[in-house]
């Protein structure tokens, strides 16, 4: 597709590719795809089919519609959206799937192994494929900053992932005689909890009645801190009213210490105290036979 086809609106119609075909090959251009109802692109099946290819010097934007590709009889693998060379694919909406797995994986979003191109996903629904896992071979994370991929449905054969705006907007910690952590969410329509390991057992604490001032602050205080627990991770989760996990965030006092050490505005005296705290924690871990590698790495970075 050249510059003359800058916008493809399929309405309620589906374009289906022939055997072994690339249905839409975008090169040296920027093209936006959208559709309504059941409309969209079916890349076809039979041999190395591709629904939409973003090739050299191109940007493909997909706003809505249904995009899929069939199975492959030639052992080459089919791709729903494929990026090659320095192409770029931006996905803000739509439903994406592949009708058959190849080598145990569904090639829904596929990046050529030698490509310098990219995917940026800020919306959409994905069947049996999580865009947060990136490419089947190269790995990575295709989800855009400020967004999160969450499992929105699951049955015996299908797992559905949806990409939406992150729910946990910020996490802030202060360290005094206890740890006080504040998590800010956009509304009170979520169930917020904190999970951590205490004495070898996983404990989950439900946070209720958030403070509201246009946004919602959930406060968690932990008073059982010991020096060898500085790298203990807290996992904050937010579930929506239907019980679906919408967002999660992992934090630790060690991260808080590293943040202090990295800030130019923090005084050298405070940084010295933090460094001594890390040394004390590592020594305490060694004393009880725990793994102190994370704290030792932080000590090296803190000089």
């Amino acid at each position: 597709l050249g510059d003359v086809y800058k916008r493809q609106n399929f309405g309620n119609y589906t374009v289906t590719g022939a055997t072994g075909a690339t249905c839409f090959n975008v090169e040296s251009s920027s093209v936006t795809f959208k559709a309504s109802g059941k409309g969209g692109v079916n890349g076809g099946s039979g041999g190395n089919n591709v629904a939409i290819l973003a090739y050299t010097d191109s940007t493909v934007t997909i706003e809505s519609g249904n995009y899929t590709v069939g199975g492959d009889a030639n052992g080459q693998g089919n791709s729903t959206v494929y990026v090659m060379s320095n192409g770029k694919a931006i996905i803000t909406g739509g439903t994406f799937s592949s009708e058959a797995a190849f080598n145990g994986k569904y090639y829904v979003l596929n990046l050529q192994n030698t490509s310098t191109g990219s995917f940026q996903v800020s919306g959409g629904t994905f069947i049996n494929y999580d865009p947060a896992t990136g490419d089947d071979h190269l790995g990575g994370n295709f989800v855009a900053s400020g967004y999160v991929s969450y499992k929105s449905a699951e049955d015996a054969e299908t797992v559905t992932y949806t990409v939406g705006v992150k729910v946990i907007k910020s996490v802030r910690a202060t360290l005094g005689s206890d740890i006080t952590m504040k998590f800010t969410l956009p509304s009170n329509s979520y169930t917020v909890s904190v999970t951590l390991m205490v004495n070898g057992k996983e404990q989950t604490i439900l946070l209720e009645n958030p403070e509201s001032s246009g946004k919602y602050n959930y406060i968690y205080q932990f008073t059982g801190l010991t020096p060898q627990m500085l790298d203990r991770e807290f996992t904050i989760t937010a579930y929506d009213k239907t019980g679906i996990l919408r967002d999660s965030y992992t934090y630790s006092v060690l991260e808080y210490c590293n943040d202090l050490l990295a800030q130019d505005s923090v005084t050298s005296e405070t940084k010295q105290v933090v460094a001594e705290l890390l040394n004390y924690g590592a020594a305490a871990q060694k004393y009880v036979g725990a793994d102190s590698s994370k704290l030792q790495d932080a000590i090296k970075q803190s000089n």
Side-chain angles (χ1 to χ4, degrees):
L1 293 175
D3 284 337
V4 69
Y5 299 106
K6 286 207 177 275
R7 194 168 187 88
Q8 295 292 316
N9 190 338
F10 303 107
N12 200 33
Y13 293 93
T14 298
V15 177
T16 302
T19 301
T22 295
C23 207
F24 290 94
N25 185 345
V26 182
E27 184 174 359
S28 301
S29 183
S30 295
V31 179
T32 298
F33 293 84
K34 62 186 301 184
S36 57
K38 296 182 179 181
V41 180
N42 185 326
S45 60
N48 205 24
N49 284 56
V50 177
I52 297 174
L53 169 63
Y55 198 36
T56 306
D57 298 328
S58 67
T59 298
V60 166
T61 300
I62 302 175
E63 296 181 352
S64 57
N66 299 277
Y67 304 88
T68 190
V69 69
D72 177 23
N74 297 330
Q76 296 174 307
N78 290 344
S79 303
T80 306
V81 183
Y82 191 26
V83 169
M84 296 179 65
S85 183
N86 64 341
K88 184 176 182 180
I90 300 172
I91 296 174
T92 62
T95 300
F96 301 83
S97 64
S98 174
E99 295 174 7
F102 178 72
N103 288 337
K105 295 185 178 181
Y106 291 87
Y107 285 24
V108 177
L109 304 185
N110 191 9
L111 185 63
Q112 183 189 31
N113 293 346
T114 58
S115 172
T116 59
S118 64
F119 283 92
Q120 179 178 301
V121 182
S122 59
T125 300
F126 301 83
I127 311 299
N128 290 330
Y129 168 78
D130 183 359
T133 62
D135 179 72
D136 68 288
H137 178 75
L138 300 174
N141 184 357
F142 293 156
V143 179
S145 176
Y147 294 83
V148 65
S149 173
Y150 60 92
K151 190 183 296 184
S152 54
E154 184 175 11
D155 58 33
E157 298 180 352
T158 304
V159 180
T160 301
Y161 297 89
T162 299
V163 175
V165 176
K166 286 185 68 66
V167 171
I168 302 173
K169 296 298 182 182
S170 67
V171 177
R172 183 164 57 90
T174 54
L175 179 61
S177 58
D178 58 18
I179 306 170
T180 301
M181 302 182 69
K182 293 186 177 182
F183 327 111
T184 302
L185 278 72
S187 74
N188 66 345
S189 60
Y190 299 94
T191 301
V192 182
S193 61
V194 175
T195 301
L196 69 159
M197 297 293 292
V198 178
N199 297 326
K201 295 182 179 180
E202 186 177 86
Q203 294 188 7
T204 299
I205 300 94
L206 183 65
L207 304 183
E208 299 176 323
N209 303 320
E211 295 180 351
S212 175
S213 56
K215 48 190 176 182
Y216 294 83
N217 297 314
Y218 294 79
I219 301 174
Y220 171 69
Q221 290 179 306
F222 177 54
T223 58
L225 178 68
T226 58
Q228 64 264 32
M229 295 171 65
L230 294 180
D231 58 355
R232 186 68 50 85
E233 292 183 336
F234 302 79
T235 301
I236 304 103
T237 54
Y239 291 81
D240 64 21
K241 289 184 177 180
T242 66
I244 293 175
L245 175 62
R246 285 294 308 271
D247 199 1
S248 66
Y249 190 94
T250 300
Y251 198 78
S252 68
V253 181
L254 175 57
E255 283 190 70
Y256 173 64
C257 292
N258 286 334
D259 289 343
L260 289 176
L261 292 169
Q263 293 178 27
D264 293 335
S265 59
V266 175
T267 65
S268 58
E269 290 83 2
T270 298
K271 291 185 177 182
Q272 181 63 34
V273 172
V274 172
E276 291 175 357
L277 177 63
L278 293 172
N279 275 295
Y280 185 31
Q285 286 185 335
K286 185 176 181 181
Y287 179 74
V288 298
D291 180 10
S292 64
S293 57
K294 290 183 180 180
L295 292 183
Q296 294 287 1
D297 289 342
I299 291 167
K300 292 176 183 177
Q301 294 175 19
S302 70
N303 296 318

